[in-house]
Amino acid sequence: MARIVGGLTTSHVPSIGGAIAKGETQSPYWKPFFDAFQPVHAWLDKVQPDVAIVIYNDHGLNFFLDKMPTFSIGVADRYENADEGWGIPVLPPFDGDAKFSWHLTESLVEDEFDMTMCQEMLVDHAFTLPLKLMYPNAGARWPVRAIPVTINSVQHPLPTAARCWKLGQALGKAIASYPNNAKVVVLGTGGLSHQLDGERAGFINKEFDLLCMDRIVNDPEALTRYSNRQIVELAGSQGVELMTWIAMRGAMGGQVNTIASHYHAPVSNTGGAVMLLEPVLVSASMAAE
Ligand code: DHB
Ligand code: FE
């Protein structure tokens, strides 16, 4: 059966793509953020996941305000990136895994998550940049197959944190019932606290970010008790991207070990956080190898 070997969360600001393109990853501004990926690279080298399921929020590239699914999943064998207007390079296309995606979709719909199924899907910075951070040396071909899963974090009403947690749990069950041996890494991209416009533009809440990072590991269900209004108040209007982290953690379930955890602010307008978690059972089997 397919199994989750790790969970990765990271901020996804477009300027990451600019820093890479301009060769600025070791500048004083960017170094702390990019260096946080060194343990992630070592882990990827060792574990070699086959599939990355990327839980993120589309920002208007594939879906726009006229049609905004609450939850969607890509069911294609290939996903293209495109220019979103940020002035950053368009990244090479990603191989999907349509067969796995259809299995996940069937299981999720059976479990009452009525996913929008996308046989064509453009993937935006929230999908591409975390994969580029994981695989900075990837050329024209990425070393994992990638499956997009989106949570609406743009057009209110948004799904609740509790609902996103349950989506993650259903996704974890769907992965575990897929009859092949794929090693799966689940990503939650976005956050942490940020607000890009309005009176509180530039708002970052380090204290709340650090609390979220602790709870994601030790008591993730505590995060599901916040209402969306509370999350917006505490983390800013775009801080609701935290939902992707909550869904990732729901998919992992159980107890996790922290392989990497790093916080640095600001990264562009965000509290920039990177975490790599491993299911306790996977850690134990690695130690035995
Ligand atoms: C920024 C953050 C985001 O999450 C995003 O999608 C776009 C921009 C920023 O901080 O610049
Ligand atoms: Fe974003």
Side-chain angles (χ1 to χ4, degrees), residues 116-144:
T116 296
M117 302 160 239
C118 303
Q119 300 196 52
E120 283 184 13
M121 192 169 191
L122 289 174
V123 287
D124 80 357
H125 64 277
F127 176 99
T128 61
L129 293 176
L131 287 165
K132 184 68 183 166
L133 287 162
M134 286 163 71
Y135 301 107
N137 301 320
R141 201 87 200 258
W142 297 91
V144 277

Short mmCIF file of all heavy atoms in Angstrom, two decimals, residues 116-144:
data_model
loop_
_atom_site.label_atom_id
_atom_site.label_comp_id
_atom_site.label_asym_id
_atom_site.label_seq_id
_atom_site.Cartn_x
_atom_site.Cartn_y
_atom_site.Cartn_z
N THR A 116 -13.73 19.03 -6.67
CA THR A 116 -13.75 19.40 -8.09
C THR A 116 -12.58 18.67 -8.75
O THR A 116 -11.44 18.80 -8.29
CB THR A 116 -13.61 20.92 -8.25
OG1 THR A 116 -14.74 21.54 -7.66
CG2 THR A 116 -13.51 21.31 -9.72
N MET A 117 -12.87 17.89 -9.80
CA MET A 117 -11.84 17.06 -10.43
C MET A 117 -11.31 17.80 -11.66
O MET A 117 -12.07 18.15 -12.53
CB MET A 117 -12.45 15.74 -10.89
CG MET A 117 -13.09 14.96 -9.77
SD MET A 117 -14.26 13.76 -10.45
CE MET A 117 -15.75 14.28 -9.64
N CYS A 118 -10.01 17.98 -11.71
CA CYS A 118 -9.43 18.80 -12.78
C CYS A 118 -8.54 17.96 -13.68
O CYS A 118 -7.45 17.57 -13.28
CB CYS A 118 -8.61 19.93 -12.17
SG CYS A 118 -9.57 20.97 -11.05
N GLN A 119 -9.02 17.72 -14.89
CA GLN A 119 -8.20 16.98 -15.85
C GLN A 119 -7.23 17.92 -16.57
O GLN A 119 -6.32 17.46 -17.25
CB GLN A 119 -9.07 16.22 -16.85
CG GLN A 119 -9.96 15.23 -16.12
CD GLN A 119 -10.56 14.20 -17.05
OE1 GLN A 119 -9.86 13.56 -17.81
NE2 GLN A 119 -11.87 14.06 -16.98
N GLU A 120 -7.50 19.21 -16.44
CA GLU A 120 -6.53 20.22 -16.89
C GLU A 120 -6.38 21.19 -15.74
O GLU A 120 -7.38 21.60 -15.15
CB GLU A 120 -7.06 20.98 -18.10
CG GLU A 120 -6.95 20.21 -19.37
CD GLU A 120 -7.41 21.06 -20.56
OE1 GLU A 120 -7.57 22.28 -20.41
OE2 GLU A 120 -7.59 20.46 -21.61
N MET A 121 -5.16 21.55 -15.42
CA MET A 121 -4.96 22.40 -14.25
C MET A 121 -3.63 23.13 -14.37
O MET A 121 -2.58 22.48 -14.51
CB MET A 121 -4.97 21.52 -13.01
CG MET A 121 -5.06 22.25 -11.70
SD MET A 121 -5.38 21.02 -10.43
CE MET A 121 -5.78 22.07 -9.05
N LEU A 122 -3.67 24.44 -14.32
CA LEU A 122 -2.43 25.22 -14.24
C LEU A 122 -2.05 25.33 -12.77
O LEU A 122 -2.92 25.56 -11.93
CB LEU A 122 -2.63 26.61 -14.82
CG LEU A 122 -2.80 26.72 -16.33
CD1 LEU A 122 -3.14 28.16 -16.71
CD2 LEU A 122 -1.53 26.25 -17.06
N VAL A 123 -0.77 25.16 -12.48
CA VAL A 123 -0.33 25.22 -11.07
C VAL A 123 0.44 26.52 -10.83
O VAL A 123 1.29 26.91 -11.62
CB VAL A 123 0.51 23.98 -10.69
CG1 VAL A 123 -0.39 22.76 -10.57
CG2 VAL A 123 1.64 23.71 -11.68
N ASP A 124 0.09 27.19 -9.74
CA ASP A 124 0.67 28.51 -9.49
C ASP A 124 1.86 28.44 -8.52
O ASP A 124 2.33 27.35 -8.16
CB ASP A 124 -0.41 29.52 -9.06
CG ASP A 124 -0.82 29.41 -7.60
OD1 ASP A 124 -0.32 28.53 -6.86
OD2 ASP A 124 -1.66 30.24 -7.17
N HIS A 125 2.32 29.63 -8.07
CA HIS A 125 3.53 29.70 -7.24
C HIS A 125 3.42 28.89 -5.95
O HIS A 125 4.43 28.44 -5.41
CB HIS A 125 3.88 31.16 -6.92
CG HIS A 125 2.85 31.87 -6.09
ND1 HIS A 125 1.72 32.45 -6.62
CD2 HIS A 125 2.77 32.09 -4.75
CE1 HIS A 125 1.00 33.01 -5.66
NE2 HIS A 125 1.61 32.80 -4.51
N ALA A 126 2.20 28.70 -5.46
CA ALA A 126 2.03 28.00 -4.19
C ALA A 126 2.29 26.50 -4.34
O ALA A 126 2.49 25.80 -3.35
CB ALA A 126 0.62 28.25 -3.65
N PHE A 127 2.25 26.03 -5.58
CA PHE A 127 2.56 24.62 -5.90
C PHE A 127 4.01 24.49 -6.37
O PHE A 127 4.75 23.61 -5.93
CB PHE A 127 1.59 24.17 -7.00
CG PHE A 127 1.81 22.78 -7.53
CD1 PHE A 127 1.04 21.72 -7.07
CD2 PHE A 127 2.77 22.53 -8.51
CE1 PHE A 127 1.23 20.43 -7.57
CE2 PHE A 127 2.96 21.26 -9.00
CZ PHE A 127 2.20 20.20 -8.54
N THR A 128 4.42 25.41 -7.26
CA THR A 128 5.72 25.24 -7.92
C THR A 128 6.90 25.56 -7.00
O THR A 128 7.91 24.84 -7.02
CB THR A 128 5.83 26.14 -9.17
OG1 THR A 128 5.71 27.51 -8.77
CG2 THR A 128 4.77 25.81 -10.19
N LEU A 129 6.80 26.66 -6.24
CA LEU A 129 7.99 27.10 -5.50
C LEU A 129 8.37 26.15 -4.36
O LEU A 129 9.56 25.88 -4.17
CB LEU A 129 7.80 28.54 -5.00
CG LEU A 129 7.75 29.57 -6.15
CD1 LEU A 129 7.45 30.97 -5.62
CD2 LEU A 129 9.05 29.58 -6.96
N PRO A 130 7.41 25.59 -3.61
CA PRO A 130 7.81 24.58 -2.62
C PRO A 130 8.54 23.40 -3.26
O PRO A 130 9.51 22.89 -2.69
CB PRO A 130 6.47 24.18 -1.99
CG PRO A 130 5.65 25.43 -2.10
CD PRO A 130 6.00 26.00 -3.44
N LEU A 131 8.12 22.98 -4.46
CA LEU A 131 8.83 21.87 -5.12
C LEU A 131 10.21 22.31 -5.57
O LEU A 131 11.18 21.54 -5.50
CB LEU A 131 7.99 21.32 -6.28
CG LEU A 131 6.77 20.50 -5.81
CD1 LEU A 131 5.77 20.30 -6.94
CD2 LEU A 131 7.19 19.15 -5.24
N LYS A 132 10.33 23.56 -5.99
CA LYS A 132 11.65 24.07 -6.39
C LYS A 132 12.57 24.18 -5.16
O LYS A 132 13.77 23.90 -5.24
CB LYS A 132 11.48 25.44 -7.05
CG LYS A 132 12.75 26.06 -7.59
CD LYS A 132 13.29 25.28 -8.78
CE LYS A 132 14.61 25.85 -9.27
NZ LYS A 132 15.31 24.94 -10.18
N LEU A 133 11.99 24.56 -4.01
CA LEU A 133 12.78 24.62 -2.78
C LEU A 133 13.25 23.22 -2.37
O LEU A 133 14.36 23.05 -1.86
CB LEU A 133 11.96 25.24 -1.65
CG LEU A 133 11.73 26.75 -1.76
CD1 LEU A 133 10.56 27.19 -0.87
CD2 LEU A 133 12.99 27.52 -1.39
N MET A 134 12.41 22.23 -2.60
CA MET A 134 12.78 20.85 -2.27
C MET A 134 13.85 20.32 -3.22
O MET A 134 14.75 19.59 -2.81
CB MET A 134 11.55 19.93 -2.36
CG MET A 134 10.57 20.09 -1.22
SD MET A 134 8.96 19.37 -1.62
CE MET A 134 9.29 17.62 -1.58
N TYR A 135 13.70 20.65 -4.50
CA TYR A 135 14.57 20.09 -5.54
C TYR A 135 15.23 21.23 -6.33
O TYR A 135 14.92 21.42 -7.52
CB TYR A 135 13.77 19.19 -6.47
CG TYR A 135 13.09 18.04 -5.76
CD1 TYR A 135 11.72 18.03 -5.56
CD2 TYR A 135 13.84 16.95 -5.29
CE1 TYR A 135 11.10 16.97 -4.90
CE2 TYR A 135 13.22 15.89 -4.63
CZ TYR A 135 11.86 15.90 -4.44
OH TYR A 135 11.25 14.85 -3.79
N PRO A 136 16.15 21.99 -5.70
CA PRO A 136 16.71 23.17 -6.38
C PRO A 136 17.50 22.80 -7.64
O PRO A 136 17.65 23.63 -8.53
CB PRO A 136 17.63 23.79 -5.31
CG PRO A 136 17.86 22.75 -4.29
CD PRO A 136 16.69 21.81 -4.34
N ASN A 137 18.00 21.56 -7.70
CA ASN A 137 18.82 21.19 -8.86
C ASN A 137 18.05 20.43 -9.94
O ASN A 137 18.66 19.94 -10.89
CB ASN A 137 20.02 20.35 -8.40
CG ASN A 137 20.87 21.12 -7.40
OD1 ASN A 137 21.08 22.32 -7.57
ND2 ASN A 137 21.30 20.46 -6.33
N ALA A 138 16.73 20.34 -9.77
CA ALA A 138 15.95 19.63 -10.79
C ALA A 138 16.08 20.36 -12.12
O ALA A 138 16.03 21.59 -12.16
CB ALA A 138 14.48 19.56 -10.37
N GLY A 139 16.25 19.60 -13.17
CA GLY A 139 16.33 20.22 -14.49
C GLY A 139 14.96 20.24 -15.14
O GLY A 139 13.97 20.66 -14.53
N ALA A 140 14.90 19.73 -16.36
CA ALA A 140 13.64 19.74 -17.09
C ALA A 140 12.65 18.73 -16.51
O ALA A 140 11.45 18.83 -16.72
CB ALA A 140 13.90 19.43 -18.56
N ARG A 141 13.16 17.74 -15.77
CA ARG A 141 12.31 16.67 -15.23
C ARG A 141 12.39 16.70 -13.71
O ARG A 141 13.48 16.69 -13.14
CB ARG A 141 12.87 15.34 -15.76
CG ARG A 141 11.95 14.18 -15.75
CD ARG A 141 11.11 14.11 -17.01
NE ARG A 141 9.93 13.30 -16.78
CZ ARG A 141 9.82 12.04 -17.19
NH1 ARG A 141 10.78 11.48 -17.87
NH2 ARG A 141 8.72 11.36 -16.91
N TRP A 142 11.24 16.74 -13.03
CA TRP A 142 11.22 16.75 -11.57
C TRP A 142 11.39 15.32 -11.04
O TRP A 142 10.89 14.38 -11.67
CB TRP A 142 9.89 17.33 -11.09
CG TRP A 142 9.72 18.76 -11.49
CD1 TRP A 142 9.13 19.22 -12.63
CD2 TRP A 142 10.18 19.91 -10.78
NE1 TRP A 142 9.18 20.60 -12.68
CE2 TRP A 142 9.81 21.05 -11.55
CE3 TRP A 142 10.85 20.11 -9.57
CZ2 TRP A 142 10.10 22.35 -11.14
CZ3 TRP A 142 11.12 21.41 -9.16
CH2 TRP A 142 10.76 22.51 -9.94
N PRO A 143 12.06 15.17 -9.87
CA PRO A 143 12.31 13.80 -9.38
C PRO A 143 11.11 13.13 -8.71
O PRO A 143 11.23 11.99 -8.27
CB PRO A 143 13.45 13.97 -8.38
CG PRO A 143 13.63 15.41 -8.16
CD PRO A 143 12.78 16.18 -9.10
N VAL A 144 9.99 13.82 -8.57
CA VAL A 144 8.77 13.17 -8.03
C VAL A 144 7.60 13.42 -8.97
O VAL A 144 7.58 14.41 -9.70
CB VAL A 144 8.30 13.76 -6.67
CG1 VAL A 144 9.04 13.16 -5.50
CG2 VAL A 144 8.31 15.27 -6.66
#
